[in-house]
Amino acid sequence: MKKNSLLMILYELLGLIVPLVLTPYLSRKLGAAGVGLYSYSYSIVLYFVIFIQLGVKLYGKREVAKVNDNKEGYSSVFCEIFSLQVFSFLIVCIIYAGFISIGIKDESIKKALILQGIELIVGLLDISWFLFGLEKFKAVVLRNCIVRISEVGLVYLLIHNSNDAYIYIVIMAISNLAGVLSMWLEVKRSVVIVFPGWNRLKPHVLPLLQLFIPVLSTQIFSIVDKTIIGIFLDVEHVGYYENAYKIAKVPIVFVTAIGNVMLPRMTKLIADGEISSSQLYMRKSMSIIVMMTTAISFGLASVSNLFMPLYLGPGFNESIGLLEILAFMLIFIGWGNVLRTQYMLPAGYDGLYTKSVVFAAVSNVIISVALVRPFGTYGVAIASLVSEAIICVYSTIKLRKELPIKIYIKDNFGYIISGFIMFCMVRLINSKVYIANNILLLGIEIISGGFVYLGVIILAEKYKSNKIIIPEVKRILQKL
């Protein structure tokens, strides 16, 4: 499991770390308007991609995991689910073409959306759900490494000024296409292709639609904010928001990677009736996730005023305050992800998951629209934070009788206190210490904050039954 966790982290990290490596270069070459044009047009095309994929990434992975030791079984599941995707792809392509022709008047956005149409093919051919269900992580990760490295080279080779925004759209779309095409090499070796009739497809339709609603709602969190900013403000403000959101989003890969690895295993444990083992895994996962997300949330917020100008360059001051708000989404996302991937979905509580996400998504849209005029991008950031909190709180309340929620809170409340102390210490250093070299000052703040956070945690763990740091330190010392 540890090997799979590391591979999943690497896979998810690549999808975000490459844009992060490119962001300082792109922010200086394309500017906020160029970055915003890509982000706004991509947010629009993603709505259509969602309708192509329906709930496949969650449902398909779970169904394949149930029969991952039976070649005939998982071959049949793959062909049946992918056939439904082809059908939805054809319908969506027709609607997308009509939307661009009739619904978009701005020529620059229309051109961007035409180029972004490549992403529709990416949405069809993305079969990561199948490989993850089989726990074949290595093949996906290695091929994705090659594709992403090539992407970086193309950006530095071809992007030189603000007029190259369309070239950037093509590079990103073609890179994504190459990434999903590489996955099909594994299908050729693993799957016996069959052409299922409607009777074989029909049982998948309702479960896919049931999971489609939460998938749609989940995607809304990541794209509707940019869409609303683009509609009510302009693409330049989308650029400010995109860069802050991109940085805040990076740590989420660790959360989702652990969840993706644990979902097949927790499904099997619950199906086999091994409830005590599943509870043990879940309690430890919860502590690790909360400890990690708390440190990163408070850490990002505390150093944002130094980090963002150094990272993005001049002209992105608005992104500083946005990061200070968006960073705290991580804590709620981490807690909610553990509940969802390690209990709700393995136990078949799709309805509860759907209700929580739909409720939060609707809230996100309403709050964003209400706050975007008076508070601009900051209002949209607040809406995103509140929406993530709604999912977390709603799921926690609904599961309080089935899971030891009080124990989880007791285990992890100390991390919030540690994070707050770290935040105060870093801000104190920032206000009292003057060093002309901002890079050096940033390094001092990060190191000091890290020591404070770990120090408080280690002191607190002496009084906890669920220890995380101290056992690991002892294990490392014993090896030495």
Side-chain angles (χ1 to χ4, degrees), residues 369-416:
V369 172
L371 297 182
V372 68
R373 286 294 191 191
F375 301 107
T377 53
Y378 298 111
V380 177
I382 291 169
S384 296
L385 177 61
V386 171
S387 300
E388 292 293 353
I390 288 172
I391 289 184
C392 178
V393 173
Y394 181 85
S395 301
T396 300
I397 292 173
K398 288 295 183 180
L399 295 174
R400 69 188 186 282
K401 294 181 180 179
E402 301 183 41
L403 296 174
I405 298 297
K406 291 183 179 179
I407 292 177
Y408 295 160
I409 294 173
K410 184 179 178 181
D411 283 345
N412 300 296
F413 184 72
Y415 299 136
I416 304 297

Side-chain angles (χ1 to χ4, degrees), residues 169-380:
I169 292 173
V170 173
I171 291 173
M172 296 301 293
I174 294 297
S175 297
N176 290 335
L177 181 60
V180 297
L181 285 174
S182 68
M183 299 179 190
W184 283 82
L185 297 174
E186 191 66 32
V187 170
K188 184 178 179 181
R189 290 193 290 264
S190 303
V191 175
V192 178
I193 301 296
V194 295
F195 296 94
W198 173 245
N199 289 335
R200 300 290 298 275
L201 301 180
K202 190 176 179 180
H204 298 293
V205 174
L206 184 58
L208 277 172
L209 291 177
Q210 287 175 335
L211 279 178
F212 169 66
I213 296 175
V215 167
L216 174 63
S217 302
T218 301
Q219 288 293 330
I220 282 176
F221 290 129
S222 61
I223 59 179
V224 77
D225 43 8
K226 302 175 189 69
T227 307
I228 289 174
I229 293 171
I231 293 172
F232 287 92
L233 301 176
D234 52 45
V235 292
E236 186 172 345
H237 282 86
V238 177
Y240 300 141
Y241 185 90
E242 167 68 8
N243 280 337
Y245 187 86
K246 193 182 296 180
I247 294 168
K249 189 179 176 182
V250 170
I252 297 175
V253 300
F254 297 100
V255 176
T256 55
I258 293 173
N260 285 333
V261 171
M262 291 299 295
L263 176 57
R265 176 156 301 191
M266 296 295 279
T267 300
K268 186 169 180 57
L269 287 172
I270 292 174
D272 293 342
E274 298 183 30
I275 304 301
S276 59
S277 295
S278 67
Q279 294 283 356
L280 182 63
Y281 276 122
M282 189 170 174
R283 185 180 179 186
K284 189 169 185 179
S285 295
M286 184 67 83
S287 291
I288 292 172
I289 292 296
V290 175
M291 178 179 66
M292 184 168 58
T293 55
T294 300
I296 297 171
S297 294
F298 282 98
L300 281 175
S302 64
V303 302
S304 61
N305 60 331
L306 272 180
F307 171 73
M308 295 298 270
L310 289 171
Y311 180 68
L312 298 176
F316 285 88
N317 289 338
E318 189 167 327
S319 298
I320 297 172
L322 290 170
L323 181 60
E324 291 175 348
I325 299 170
L326 294 170
F328 291 98
M329 291 194 307
L330 299 175
I331 299 173
F332 299 113
I333 291 173
W335 182 284
N337 185 271
V338 173
L339 294 180
R340 180 170 66 255
T341 61
Q342 299 190 36
Y343 187 77
M344 293 164 67
L345 292 179
Y349 285 0
D350 298 342
L352 176 58
Y353 173 46
T354 301
K355 288 178 183 178
S356 66
V357 178
V358 169
F359 179 48
V362 172
S363 302
N364 189 19
V365 174
I366 294 173
I367 298 172
S368 293
V369 172
L371 297 182
V372 68
R373 286 294 191 191
F375 301 107
T377 53
Y378 298 111
V380 177

